[in-house]
Amino acid sequence: MMYLVAYDIETDSIRNKVAKILLKAGLERAQYSVFIGPLTDSAFGDIQEKILYLTKEDPSYSVLFLPLHVDMIRSIAEISSNPIDWEYLTGQKIIMIF
């Protein structure tokens, strides 16, 4: 399942650790605090557990996990100087490295 993950975390150290967790899980950074990409059910649960552990001492945080249907991804409009490679992200384009 594809997810869009967005967070609002005031504490710099926690915010940076959450970003590293999301990047390590294979999500792409769409904006500074917004990530997108596919997650298996087990990866989704693992990420949630790690973020809950990190944020338990931060009184003001918000992390949203929004599931995206394929039709929603196809209709995303993006204006960016560094656009997301949607074909790669959705598995429609495969890159081979030798």
Side-chain angles (χ1 to χ4, degrees), residues 23-39:
L23 290 170
K24 188 174 180 180
L27 298 178
E28 298 281 334
R29 186 171 284 214
Q31 294 184 1
Y32 187 74
S33 61
V34 179
F35 294 75
I36 189 167
L39 292 173

Side-chain angles (χ1 to χ4, degrees), residues 1-6 44 64-68:
M1 170 73 69
M2 292 288 286
Y3 284 91
L4 184 129
V5 182
F44 178 67
L64 297 174
F65 293 86
L66 304 167
L68 299 176

